[in-house]
Amino acid sequence: MPRCNTWKVLFVASALISIAIIFTPRDPSNDCNINSILDQHLEISQLYQQNTRPFDVREDSMEALNVPYIHYLGSPPTEKRFLAIGISTVKRKKENYLLNTVHSIFNHSSKEELDQLVVVVYLANSQHTLNKETAEELNHSFQLDVKAGRLVVISSPTRAYPTLEGLKRNYNDSPDRVKFRSKQNIDYAFLVNFCANLSHYYIMLEDDITCANNFLTSIKSNIESQKAPWTTITYSTLGYIGKLYHNADLSKLARFLLLFYDEMPCDWLLDLFFKSKAQKEIIRAKPSLFQHMGTYSSFQGSMNKLKDKDFVEVHEKYGDHPPASCSTNIEAYLDNVADNVCYLGPSFFWGKNIKKDNYFTMVFQDTLNIEKVHVITGSPDHPGDMIKAGFLELGSVKVKNKDVESCKSFRKVAQFTNGVASIKTDKPQTSDCLRITISADQDEWVIIQKLGVWLKKTREVSGSVTPGLATN
Ligand SMILES: *[C@@H]1O[C@H](CO)[C@@H](O)[C@H](O)[C@H]1NC(C)=O
Ligand SMILES: *[C@@H]1O[C@H](CO)[C@@H](O)[C@H](O)[C@H]1NC(C)=O
Ligand SMILES: *[C@@H]1O[C@H](CO)[C@@H](O)[C@H](O)[C@H]1NC(C)=O
């Protein structure tokens, strides 16, 4: 079989050639030959003698990343500001809050504060036309702020992004979810990288938030009150909103997000970042200074109703907040007592051992004409602590029984569903009390997060104004 032998010879020969190729050193520096190792050591020691480091970990690895940016509006201020505010935004199908968010930042800052901040908006739509549209809207609304160097609008070309296809499906996330969260990590990394050196501190916001009045001054005094070194302070309890960083950490953070971009969502990486810098727990400043206003999240239009319970709505107080006293027969957890609901402020009621017929009563100082009531139970951190079964009543004729104030008679006006109960009526309800009654035992505790009461506005009738009542 000479033919067959020829093939065998050819096969063996080619195998030998392949082996020879594999083991032939392509680069002399890879050679495990003792002379060349000595040569390399010699070169390195010569470099040391010249007193130049071949590589400087602190500088060479921490310079700003050479990410390409598209500048839409404004240019970075020439002098370092106190605070840079980073917002990454995508156009949503339903509700867009970006303009309100930027308005809220500027509207809640004094002149002096405005001079100390710069807002950087990162347009993260993959379509250039959408980014252009948003930039034009911002240009239209904030021309003066752009001129004053308070507003910079940027983006990065899609080609600067690493692949978002075919990534690992950690946590069994759907491919769409993986793509969404991976892109978000890159968006934030590019935004943070851009903001390096613009200011002394950097804070991350989202494109659907409202701010507390003079938040910048609050942040400043909070920073001054910190006794120990820190990496992250948060001024909100939600996701990525309101996380504060030192300028010096920004290039590190950008690299960190890029290194693990396809592993997990951005808020988890942000948590791991301060832990990697040996901060045990996040520093949570109270009260919160930022609050979500969106109900639609940017991911597939899913509902995102998370609200921050620690937020003090200075201007946008919840309801008309008529003077009242609050009482309950539910055992309060720590100092989360009933009165917290009756006084304006960031706190709430939190009760345990919830039984059927437990009540929570609000007794108004004056008889009121109520147009609307809205009660929200549960919280972002404890969504399960809502009223599972219960109802809302309005009462009239105040009575006092063993020092506990209440009303003589009550009428049922609403049931709780998903932890929320509300009424809204054109025929104002004359009331002295408002009562929440639990209608079934439940294992979960109960947080009464918000209890808003809106009153019928009295109108000015031919010059006569009822004294003591607000006119509108
Ligand atoms: C920030 O500025 C310092 C000093 O000018 C410079 O050394 C450093 O490379 C800059 N960092 C970035 C990330 O641009
Ligand atoms: C902020 O102020 C501007 C002008 O002063 C006003 O047009 C806008 O409605 C305000 N926005 C909010 C959200 O208060
Ligand atoms: C912003 O608006 C001004 C004034 O209308 C205009 O001159 C400028 O070209 C606009 N810039 C962009 C980027 O749209």
Side-chain angles (χ1 to χ4, degrees):
M1 298 289 229
R3 244 180 109 78
C4 199
N5 278 338
T6 314
W7 281 112
K8 271 185 193 159
V9 168
L10 275 175
F11 175 78
V12 169
S14 66
L16 283 173
I17 289 167
S18 315
I19 290 166
I21 288 171
I22 289 165
F23 286 98
T24 303
R26 264 161 291 171
D27 180 342
S29 66
N30 284 344
D31 198 350
C32 289
N33 155 329
I34 193 82
N35 282 334
S36 101
I37 290 174
L38 282 178
D39 283 350
Q40 279 180 30
H41 276 230
L42 222 63
E43 268 173 44
I44 291 168
S45 63
Q46 273 164 4
L47 272 173
Y48 272 109
Q49 276 160 17
Q50 288 161 13
N51 227 354
T52 50
R53 264 194 222 127
F55 180 74
D56 187 299
V57 172
R58 277 171 174 269
E59 283 173 20
D60 297 348
S61 65
M62 284 307 150
E63 270 171 14
L65 290 165
N66 194 16
V67 175
Y69 290 105
I70 303 166
H71 294 250
Y72 285 95
L73 294 176
S75 44
T78 43
E79 280 203 1
K80 249 190 195 175
R81 304 259 158 122
F82 171 73
L83 184 69
I85 301 172
I87 300 173
S88 168
T89 185
V90 288
K91 265 229 152 92
R92 294 162 207 202
K93 281 210 188 78
K94 296 216 160 160
E95 302 168 50
N96 284 290
Y97 304 100
L98 176 67
L99 295 190
N100 308 40
T101 300
V102 179
H103 265 308
S104 182
I105 293 170
F106 294 145
N107 282 13
H108 292 97
S109 300
S110 69
K111 257 208 177 93
E112 292 73 35
E113 290 169 334
L114 287 176
D115 290 339
Q116 300 176 62
L117 60 80
V118 52
V119 177
V120 178
V121 175
Y122 183 88
L123 305 173
N125 302 289
S126 319
Q127 292 126 295
H128 180 64
T129 46
L130 288 180
N131 286 341
K132 233 178 116 209
E133 262 173 49
T134 310
E136 276 161 12
E137 283 164 24
L138 287 165
N139 190 28
H140 184 73
S141 299
F142 299 103
Q143 211 135 93
L144 290 178
D145 302 288
V146 172
K147 272 207 192 102
R150 275 199 287 278
L151 180 62
V152 179
V153 181
I154 55 158
S155 173
S156 285
T158 320
R159 65 182 159 77
Y161 281 64
T163 187
L164 299 171
E165 303 298 338
L167 301 175
K168 296 186 292 184
R169 290 182 50 195
N170 289 352
Y171 316 107
N172 204 25
D173 281 346
S174 71
D176 276 357
R177 176 83 210 162
V178 171
K179 188 174 172 179
F180 173 84
R181 62 163 159 80
S182 303
K183 175 177 173 297
Q184 200 168 42
N185 282 329
I186 307 292
D187 297 339
Y188 279 116
F190 287 0
L191 167 61
V192 162
N193 183 64
F194 181 88
C195 290
N197 276 356
L198 294 189
S199 60
H200 298 286
Y201 297 94
Y202 169 87
I203 197 163
M204 188 85 95
L205 293 188
E206 285 187 57
D207 62 355
D208 61 346
I209 56 104
T210 50
C211 310
N213 229 358
N214 304 110
F215 64 89
L216 186 136
T217 303
S218 301
I219 291 172
K220 207 175 230 181
S221 62
N222 181 268
I223 291 173
E224 280 162 12
S225 74
Q226 298 301 324
K227 304 235 157 44
W230 54 272
T231 297
T232 311
I233 302 177
T234 185
Y235 294 87
S236 151
T237 60
L238 303 169
Y240 350 80
I241 315 183
K243 298 224 167 11
L244 187 81
Y245 299 90
H246 293 274
N247 176 61
D249 281 337
L250 293 184
S251 338
K252 284 182 191 163
L253 180 57
R255 284 169 165 76
F256 190 81
L257 294 175
L258 291 175
L259 272 177
F260 303 108
Y261 84 101
D262 55 348
E263 302 289 352
M264 59 184 82
C266 189
D267 47 344
W268 297 9
L269 285 178
L270 295 182
D271 277 354
L272 290 175
F273 182 70
F274 68 75
K275 285 179 184 153
S276 305
K277 294 203 69 207
Q279 180 178 330
K280 276 208 194 91
E281 279 176 8
I282 199 154
I283 302 167
R284 185 160 284 174
K286 282 196 179 181
S288 295
L289 300 174
F290 306 98
Q291 172 73 291
H292 256 306
M293 61 182 155
T295 48
Y296 283 91
S297 99
S298 44
F299 176 63
Q300 296 184 344
S302 59
M303 295 295 279
N304 172 27
K305 277 216 157 104
L306 295 186
K307 293 278 181 180
D308 188 333
K309 64 182 192 299
D310 292 334
F311 184 70
V312 189
E313 291 176 329
V314 180
H315 283 316
E316 305 96 330
K317 67 177 180 183
Y318 202 64
D320 292 326
H321 234 280
S325 63
C326 286
S327 62
T328 179
N329 62 351
I330 302 172
E331 186 188 344
Y333 171 59
L334 302 177
D335 58 352
N336 304 291
V337 295
D339 260 349
N340 288 352
V341 176
C342 274
Y343 296 104
L344 254 183
S347 40
F348 47 88
F349 171 73
W350 200 354
K352 49 191 191 178
N353 302 324
I354 310 298
K355 298 276 177 268
K356 181 173 185 294
D357 295 332
N358 273 163
Y359 63 83
F360 183 101
T361 312
M362 198 170 191
V363 180
F364 304 118
Q365 190 177 303
D366 306 308
T367 304
L368 304 174
N369 274 327
I370 294 179
E371 263 186 0
K372 181 180 155 189
V373 178
H374 198 72
V375 186
I376 303 171
T377 66
S379 80
D381 291 344
H382 304 274
D385 288 1
M386 58 158 94
I387 294 180
K388 300 271 160 25
F391 49 90
L392 191 66
E393 295 163 302
L394 291 177
S396 22
V397 188
K398 272 191 257 186
V399 288
K400 206 166 194 177
N401 200 345
K402 289 185 206 146
D403 269 2
V404 182
E405 270 201 310
S406 185
C407 273
K408 202 168 152 193
S409 63
F410 282 95
R411 55 193 185 283
K412 216 186 261 191
V413 291
Q415 292 278 353
F416 275 88
T417 34
N418 290 327
V420 175
S422 60
I423 55 158
K424 190 162 191 274
T425 166
D426 296 334
K427 249 183 32 207
Q429 308 275 311
T430 309
S431 312
D432 293 299
C433 298
L434 182 154
R435 187 167 72 182
I436 293 166
T437 304
I438 307 284
S439 47
D441 294 3
Q442 68 177 58
D443 292 338
E444 292 82 6
W445 296 5
V446 160
I447 289 174
I448 298 179
Q449 198 198 131
K450 280 198 170 144
L451 201 167
V453 174
W454 285 261
L455 305 179
K456 178 183 160 53
K457 304 282 184 285
T458 48
R459 266 173 251 290
E460 218 169 309
V461 186
S462 59
S464 84
V465 181
T466 321
L469 285 180
T471 52
N472 198 4

